[in-house]
Amino acid sequence: MALEIILIAGAIPVFLLTMIGESWWIHRKSPPPREGVLGYTPRDTAASIAMGLGFLVIKHLSKLVVLPLYLLLYELRLFEIPTKGWQWWVLLIILQDFAFYWYHRCHHEVRFLWAAHVNHHSSERFNLSTALRQSWTSPLTSVPFFAPLMLLGFEPAMFFAVALINLLYQYWVHTELVGRLGFLEAIMVTPSHHRVHHGAQGRYLDRNHGGIFILWDRLFGTFETESIPVVYGLTKNITTYNPVKIAFHEWVAMCRDVKNAKSFTDAWGYVIKRPGWGPHKNKTSSS
């Protein structure tokens, strides 16, 4: 856990300085390129920062439940994996990102999981502050996807440190100031890949789910290259900067749909089927 604290303590001033630097770089140009999309606004940025602070608090509180479960699973581990040796850390980084891919993909494809993740896509702007717009409920909905790593034999403390490394990596890809990065585009998640992920256009929906490596998307058919300017946000944007509404608006909408459903089958469909699903709809999408 000490490594986690060190990483968080070091990351916060870096976040603040890089957001200030990005904002300065954008707004020093007259007019700013793609004005209204690329630039910062006080209310949007404040909402993202509030979501990030709330996420930190909830994530650590959730460990009161998650950590005992992970420790129990670790006691049932199949292998003895040491915490020393760089190769074991590299292996865990790869396996954790593989698990993250499926966690992230499922959170786009299942309605109640999307309710936990949608807030990250709720901003119509795309800059470093958008990376801080983290979910307040995914610390719990993520558990089934990462728990098997403890069964394999990775210590929970080691897992939490690697999960934080994965999250910190994703910070820098939330920018429009970085273009294509050559050969890295074939292996790593880059800003170009992640701009696609935040796109609300049909060709960009539910694409590029990897956290560190884009290889998973290429292997499992969810890769899309950046080919046209990205329109950010949701297919139906929310008009609020209230962090509580941002965090829970889709949970409220899902419960409303379930309450108004005409049958149990329809009610269950609103929970487990794709976002946007309805009993009389033929095609759905998540953003």
Side-chain angles (χ1 to χ4, degrees):
M1 300 302 176
L3 180 56
E4 262 194 288
I5 295 172
I6 293 170
L7 289 172
I8 292 172
I12 290 174
V14 172
F15 288 170
L16 293 175
L17 289 173
T18 52
M19 285 190 292
I20 292 169
E22 183 186 42
S23 178
W24 173 82
W25 182 262
I26 291 168
H27 292 290
R28 70 189 286 268
K29 300 184 179 182
S30 182
R34 298 191 68 194
E35 186 172 11
V37 173
L38 190 125
Y40 285 72
T41 65
R43 295 181 73 187
D44 184 79
T45 302
S48 294
I49 292 174
M51 295 298 299
L53 292 173
F55 167 77
L56 284 179
V57 173
I58 293 169
K59 183 175 177 62
H60 282 84
L61 288 176
S62 72
K63 286 183 181 177
L64 295 174
V65 176
V66 175
L67 182 56
L69 173 61
Y70 283 178
L71 288 171
L72 174 62
L73 294 175
Y74 181 67
E75 290 300 314
L76 302 174
R77 59 191 179 275
L78 300 175
F79 305 102
E80 292 291 336
I81 296 178
T83 57
K84 294 183 179 180
W86 63 267
Q87 68 273 24
W88 302 112
W89 286 86
V90 171
L91 177 62
L92 181 54
I93 287 171
I94 294 170
L95 292 177
Q96 191 273 342
D97 196 63
F98 177 74
F100 177 87
Y101 168 83
W102 289 107
Y103 148 80
H104 198 181
R105 179 172 175 173
C106 289
H107 276 65
H108 276 253
E109 297 180 348
V110 177
R111 175 80 180 276
F112 85 92
L113 295 177
W114 174 243
H117 180 64
V118 62
N119 67 271
H120 184 64
H121 290 261
S122 60
S123 177
E124 296 178 58
R125 294 170 179 270
F126 191 77
N127 50 56
L128 292 173
S129 74
T130 309
L132 306 183
R133 194 173 285 226
Q134 293 293 319
S135 170
W136 291 1
T137 48
S138 65
L140 293 177
T141 60
S142 64
V143 170
F145 298 91
F146 297 118
L149 294 173
M150 268 48 71
L151 280 175
L152 284 177
F154 292 101
E155 285 192 7
M158 189 177 179
F159 163 76
F160 284 125
V162 166
L164 184 57
I165 290 170
N166 188 296
L167 184 63
L168 293 176
Y169 176 89
Q170 293 179 52
Y171 173 74
W172 79 281
V173 300
H174 291 81
T175 184
E176 287 202 320
L177 295 184
V178 177
R180 301 290 181 87
L181 294 176
F183 72 92
L184 287 178
E185 300 281 327
I187 305 169
M188 311 296 290
V189 173
T190 68
S192 177
H193 296 146
H194 206 64
R195 287 192 289 269
V196 167
H197 180 71
H198 277 257
Q201 298 107 305
R203 71 171 64 185
Y204 289 160
L205 291 179
D206 305 329
R207 293 291 182 264
N208 299 358
H209 300 297
I212 295 177
F213 303 108
I214 201 64
L215 293 172
W216 317 124
D217 291 283
R218 294 183 183 276
L219 284 172
F220 298 112
T222 53
F223 175 75
E224 182 66 41
T225 190
E226 185 179 25
S227 55
I228 59 174
V230 182
V231 176
Y232 302 106
L234 306 171
T235 55
K236 293 182 180 179
N237 286 305
I238 57 175
T239 56
T240 181
Y241 297 102
N242 183 324
V244 175
K245 291 182 178 179
I246 293 172
F248 297 110
H249 76 275
E250 182 63 15
W251 289 107
V252 172
M254 184 182 70
C255 290
R256 186 187 306 118
D257 286 341
V258 170
K259 179 182 177 181
N260 295 329
K262 303 299 183 182
S263 68
F264 176 81
T265 300
D266 289 350
W268 190 236
Y270 283 124
V271 175
I272 66 167
K273 293 197 175 184
R274 295 183 70 92
W277 177 88
H280 304 297
K281 294 180 182 179
N282 295 319
K283 187 176 182 181
T284 60
S285 59
S286 70
S287 292

